[in-house]
Amino acid sequence: MHIVTDRGADLATHSPSGAELVFAPLTITLDESTFTSGIDIEPEEFYKALDHTDAFPTTSQPAPGDFARIYADAAKSGKEIL
């Protein structure tokens, strides 16, 4: 089974059940810098950056095309998608 969500789900990257977790990235802006979650910045780096600023981060939902690619790739396996 594939479990598809975005990076805002706050799930571990490995599933103990054996399901494949697939994350669509969020766009994060902090201190006038923009990052792509899971690509340009990992959670540990994000929280460390928050400790060093008074700025409030903003996020943007994943693009529909990101989800379309993820679902298309997952469908090729023939496994269920949640």
Side-chain angles (χ1 to χ4, degrees), residues 41-65:
I41 193 166
E42 294 295 329
E44 297 82 17
E45 297 168 297
F46 172 74
Y47 290 116
K48 195 177 288 187
L50 279 179
D51 283 341
H52 295 92
T53 184
D54 291 327
F56 191 76
T58 60
T59 60
S60 179
Q61 64 189 11

Side-chain angles (χ1 to χ4, degrees), residues 14-57:
H14 297 80
S15 169
S17 68
E20 183 175 342
L21 298 173
V22 185
F23 296 92
L26 296 174
T27 301
I28 302 168
T29 302
L30 180 63
D31 280 337
E32 299 182 22
S33 296
T34 301
F35 307 96
T36 304
S37 63
I39 297 172
D40 299 330
I41 193 166
E42 294 295 329
E44 297 82 17
E45 297 168 297
F46 172 74
Y47 290 116
K48 195 177 288 187
L50 279 179
D51 283 341
H52 295 92
T53 184
D54 291 327
F56 191 76

Side-chain angles (χ1 to χ4, degrees), residues 5-13 21 23 26 43 47:
T5 187
D6 65 40
R7 286 282 176 172
D10 199 25
L11 295 173
T13 57
L21 298 173
F23 296 92
L26 296 174
Y47 290 116

